[in-house]
Amino acid sequence: MQHRRMTAVTEFRELSPRVSDQLFLSPRMNFPGAARGAFAVELGRLLDRTYGIGQPKQLFDLLSAFALNFDCPWVAYGSRDQKGLKPVRGDPAVMLNYPDGWREHYLEMGYDKIDPTIKRGRRRIEAFRWSEVYNDESTTEDERRVLDEAAAFGLRSGVSVPLHGPDGSFAIMNFAQARDGEFPNRTITYLQLAALHFHLRVAEFANAAGIESTSNLSPREKECILWTAKGKSSWEIGKILGLSINTVNFHIKNVMRKMDANSRITAAIEVLKRGMIEL
């Protein structure tokens, strides 16, 4: 008797009605049957392809392509622990394709400290729409401003998927659209499944690596830590490089984390010792 080869695509075709029925987040808004089947097939293809991937960046590119099926050109993944965000673009801890203008503005304004999607994500298990956060009575005006300004940069509606782990670890995946409108519940289900799979695969990469690679500093990180080694304050470095104090501190904290240092001076000494910069 010949057995049919099962892939994630064929398995998900058979399981998708049952899986989506169990995981819908609120009363269902049904896609047409053909569209629903197509989305299930695309999710299955995503699952199949991720197992041939060797780098987190390639994995993120696959996820971003999958999100386009739901008109989501903007995707961001951020991993946090009890010490806060590990903010290195391209590092498995943070990957995103947000518009450059919004990314820079977000950092300069220090919005990672008041982002309402992060606050809500820490308290929630299930995915949620940004509109729910905006209309929540507990959301402050400063927090609403983050979403208003995101919309001004083209991220007009979105969904966040909280991803909780052991020891208080926390990650969040954001999917954003360039148009106003509510995400159908089945769309959220597919995005949530994709985000969870992505998160688990990233964890596998991290476990395989053993420890985070610290061999490279970005050009901006090198500039900031070089001026730190020369005795300049964050304010002075900002004036020299044309950056805000928040952005300078952001890059210096990255270097401190990569060097496993508890102060900027210790980080600068370690970078000099490794020959990564020269005075």
Side-chain angles (χ1 to χ4, degrees):
M1 179 177 178
Q2 187 175 11
H3 293 281
R4 181 165 57 111
R5 179 177 177 270
M6 295 293 287
T7 66
V9 173
T10 55
E11 289 173 353
F12 200 82
R13 274 177 176 158
E14 296 176 0
L15 290 174
S16 58
R18 189 161 65 250
V19 170
S20 58
D21 284 348
Q22 292 172 355
L23 293 178
F24 71 86
L25 304 175
S26 55
R28 281 171 285 177
M29 292 176 62
N30 291 318
F31 290 121
R36 187 163 63 247
F39 292 146
V41 169
E42 286 302 316
L43 179 59
R45 286 175 178 161
L46 172 68
L47 302 184
D48 280 342
R49 290 170 181 168
T50 59
Y51 288 107
I53 293 299
Q55 297 294 329
K57 178 62 170 62
Q58 296 172 315
L59 190 64
F60 182 78
D61 289 342
L62 279 179
L63 178 71
S64 299
F66 173 75
L68 288 175
N69 289 292
F70 305 95
D71 296 325
C72 294
W74 313 121
V75 181
Y77 170 79
S79 176
R80 288 172 170 258
D81 57 18
Q82 292 177 340
K83 296 180 181 179
L85 185 65
K86 300 175 180 177
V88 185
R89 189 171 185 227
D91 183 271
V94 173
M95 287 172 277
L96 69 165
N97 65 2
Y98 280 177
D100 290 341
W102 172 238
R103 193 167 60 247
E104 290 295 328
H105 183 69
Y106 185 94
L107 292 176
E108 289 183 6
M109 297 299 291
Y111 281 164
D112 59 305
K113 299 177 180 63
I114 63 169
D115 189 330
T117 65
I118 295 173
K119 182 179 79 172
R120 188 182 184 95
R122 285 196 176 279
R123 306 194 308 262
R124 295 279 293 268
I125 297 175
E126 71 275 15
F128 54 87
R129 300 173 180 86
W130 292 359
S131 59
E132 298 170 25
V133 180
Y134 193 91
N135 294 321
D136 192 316
E137 291 182 356
S138 68
T139 302
T140 68
E141 288 306 311
D142 284 343
E143 291 168 344
R144 288 193 180 95
R145 187 175 72 247
V146 177
L147 296 176
D148 284 335
E149 293 185 8
F153 279 90
L155 288 74
R156 302 194 61 84
S157 60
V159 165
S160 294
V161 181
L163 300 158
H164 296 273
D167 303 322
S169 63
F170 165 69
I172 191 164
M173 178 78 78
N174 288 334
F175 299 94
Q177 294 180 334
R179 58 181 174 80
D180 294 320
E182 292 291 353
F183 281 71
N185 295 309
R186 283 189 182 273
T187 292
I188 297 176
T189 296
Y190 287 122
L191 293 176
Q192 187 169 16
L193 288 169
L196 176 59
H197 181 71
F198 175 89
H199 182 60
L200 294 174
R201 292 288 288 129
V202 167
E204 290 175 11
F205 286 128
N207 290 337
I211 58 172
E212 178 185 359
S213 173
T214 61
S215 59
N216 294 314
L217 298 180
S218 72
R220 189 64 85 186
E221 288 167 354
K222 288 181 180 179
E223 287 179 323
C224 290
I225 203 65
L226 174 61
W227 286 110
T228 299
K230 292 181 178 181
K232 301 297 184 182
S233 67
S234 292
W235 181 85
E236 291 171 318
I237 296 170
K239 289 296 183 183
I240 294 168
L241 300 179
L243 303 173
S244 71
I245 292 177
N246 279 337
T247 301
V248 172
N249 288 335
F250 171 82
H251 291 301
I252 291 174
K253 286 177 181 177
N254 282 350
V255 179
M256 289 171 57
R257 177 179 55 79
K258 289 183 175 183
M259 297 298 108
D260 194 23
N262 56 13
S263 74
R264 60 174 61 200
I265 299 303
T266 304
I269 292 171
E270 185 63 28
V271 170
L272 285 166
K273 189 168 32 174
R274 297 189 190 190
M276 302 171 80
I277 60 171
E278 294 182 3
L279 288 175

